[in-house]
């Protein structure tokens, strides 16, 4: 497995702290996680709560190693902003996908799976599967 | 026929009315949202007018596409991608014609509204901007003034509805009795169209 080909992961939250913490948590819990390119894109550019298209685009570019980029989001406007960027066509790296997954559990599953050198489809389905983990 | 100047005017007068009404939009967003709709849109439309002053595309489609791009990147809340998609799709549907007819604008705006419905998954009656935009597009065949009236009536008609989309939907029945801020700002956008046309 080569670092160059690992799937990149972008974590979009309304809060810079949440995005950064979940990124650190996912990398910390994933054995081979430190090698996985993970970038948080939290809050607005001014440091407030919200979603920034610029921060998302920059984060996606920074984790693109040519194997695709999986984007996980938290609430409403984060989802809409990523969808709108995808619809633009040229704002995000080729092979960028919005992954339908719970934010924290999905991020951990995505990073663990990406660390094995899995492709984008495998990372996406691992993250989505996190929805099936019931707590009660 | 409507030329690039008309579309620049539309964006400028809308930015001015968003500025004027920002506090009211935020007040509407306080009980059922996160109290930032006015300031978010104000930031977005200020960026739109600043960009159009610097580089003004020479076609109606070019102006709306650029304005939409600005809204997506600067608003920071859900209204950014929603309004941004509305203007971009409308702009793309207009293509690169130097002038368009009112009928072409109505048709393009319908494509824009449909793109917003797809993006947000909202339908008429969900207490969103769609409740002002759909009647406005339907009335646009008559006149810009009729579209403005239809959008304003559509916004007022969201008051008794229960929100099914966005943050307000978490409130369930408690969202009833409040006019939707997104439908209210959408009515401002349509009113801007009528104002740009001198109606």
């Amino acid at each position: 497995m080569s670092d160059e080909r690992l799937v990149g992961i972008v974590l979009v939250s309304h809060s810079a702290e949440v995005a950064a913490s979940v990124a650190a948590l996912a990398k910390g819990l994933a054995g081979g996680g430190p090698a996985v390119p993970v970038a948080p894109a939290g809050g607005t550019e001014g440091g407030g709560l919200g979603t920034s298209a610029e921060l998302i685009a920059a984060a996606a570019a920074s984790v693109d190693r040519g194997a695709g980029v999986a984007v996980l989001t938290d609430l409403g406007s984060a989802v809409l902003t990523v969808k709108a960027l995808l619809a633009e066509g040229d704002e995000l790296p080729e092979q960028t996908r919005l992954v339908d997954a719970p934010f924290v559990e999905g991020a951990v599953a995505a990073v663990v799976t990406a660390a094995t050198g899995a492709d984008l489809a495998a990372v996406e389905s691992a993250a989505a599967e996190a929805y099936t983990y019931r707590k009660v | 026929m409507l030329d690039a100047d008309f579309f620049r005017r539309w964006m400028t007068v809308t930015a001015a009315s968003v500025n004027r009404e920002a506090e009211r939009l935020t007040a509407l967003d306080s009980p059922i949202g996160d109290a930032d709709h006015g300031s978010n849109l104000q930031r977005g439309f200020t960026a739109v007018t600043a960009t159009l002053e610097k580089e003004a595309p020479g076609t109606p489609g070019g102006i709306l596409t650029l304005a939409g791009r600005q809204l997506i990147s600067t608003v920071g809340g859900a209204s950014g991608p929603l309004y941004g998609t509305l203007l971009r799709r409308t702009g793309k549907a207009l293509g690169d014609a130097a002038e368009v007819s009112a009928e072409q604008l109505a048709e393009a705006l319908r494509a824009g509204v449909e793109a917003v419905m797809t993006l947000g998954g909202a339908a008429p009656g969900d207490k969103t901007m769609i409740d002002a935009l759909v009647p406005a597009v339907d009335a646009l065949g008559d006149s810009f003034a009729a579209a403005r009236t239809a959008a304003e009536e559509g916004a007022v008609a969201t008051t008794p509805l229960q929100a099914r989309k966005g943050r307000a939907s978490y409130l369930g029945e408690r969202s009833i009795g409040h006019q939707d801020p997104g439908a209210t700002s959408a009515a401002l956008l349509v009113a801007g169209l009528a104002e740009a046309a001198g109606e």
Side-chain angles (χ1 to χ4, degrees):
Chain A
M1 141 190 137
S2 140
D3 285 359
E4 311 253 307
R5 302 297 299 166
L6 292 179
V7 170
I9 292 159
V10 174
L11 300 174
V12 183
S13 168
H14 278 53
S15 149
E17 289 87 350
V18 170
S21 297
V22 173
L25 174 68
K27 290 183 81 140
L29 290 180
V36 178
V38 180
T44 62
E45 281 170 288
L49 297 179
T51 312
S52 159
E54 308 295 327
L55 290 180
I56 295 168
S62 78
V63 298
D64 183 22
R65 302 287 184 273
V69 176
V71 182
L72 281 80
T73 60
D74 62 0
L75 309 163
S77 79
V79 179
L80 292 174
T81 302
V82 174
K83 282 186 177 170
L85 286 172
L86 286 170
E88 304 254 324
D90 52 0
E91 294 288 326
L92 300 173
E94 253 183 85
Q95 281 203 77
T96 297
R97 279 189 211 166
L98 171 61
V99 171
D100 186 13
F103 194 59
V104 177
E105 292 87 341
V108 174
V111 172
V112 169
T113 308
T116 67
D119 65 12
L120 181 58
V123 170
E124 180 177 26
S125 67
E129 252 173 53
Y131 269 132
T132 62
Y133 169 65
R134 310 297 310 180
K135 291 164 191 173
V136 179
Chain B
M1 293 295 276
L2 310 168
D3 60 7
D5 273 343
F6 172 87
F7 285 83
R8 255 199 307 278
R9 216 157 52 234
W10 179 19
M11 292 299 107
T12 308
V13 299
T14 302
S17 66
V18 165
N19 264 334
R20 213 165 41 235
E21 302 284 332
E23 278 184 33
R24 179 172 153 246
L25 293 174
T26 290
L28 288 173
D29 196 31
S30 299
I32 58 171
D34 39 10
D36 60 4
H37 191 56
S39 48
N40 279 349
L41 274 193
Q42 201 172 18
R43 182 168 56 248
F45 275 98
T46 300
V48 167
T49 48
T51 301
L52 289 179
E53 272 170 29
K54 273 197 305 239
E55 47 163 326
T59 63
I63 285 170
L64 294 188
T65 308
L66 181 64
R69 181 71 192 82
Q70 282 299 310
L71 292 176
I72 292 173
S73 53
T74 57
V75 169
S79 50
L82 293 168
Y83 275 106
T85 295
L86 174 67
L87 295 185
R88 276 184 60 90
R89 284 304 172 88
T90 303
K92 287 196 167 171
L94 290 174
D96 52 11
E99 295 185 333
V100 300
S101 66
E103 292 74 24
Q104 284 170 315
L105 173 58
E107 200 178 312
L109 204 52
R110 190 177 293 282
V113 172
E114 279 165 10
V116 172
M117 290 168 71
T118 304
L119 177 67
D126 284 345
K127 199 178 178 92
T128 70
M129 61 197 283
I130 295 303
D131 291 320
L133 291 174
V134 167
V137 169
D138 288 342
L140 207 48
D142 299 332
S143 68
F144 289 117
R148 170 173 55 200
T149 304
E152 283 165 359
E153 287 173 357
V156 170
T158 61
T159 305
L161 299 176
Q162 178 171 336
R164 286 197 287 261
K165 287 287 157 191
R167 190 187 178 287
S169 65
Y170 299 145
L171 298 177
E173 289 183 0
R174 278 174 294 150
S175 65
I176 293 172
H178 300 280
Q179 182 170 324
D180 181 62
T184 308
S185 57
L188 292 181
L189 181 72
V190 179
L193 198 50
E195 193 181 332
E199 289 182 13

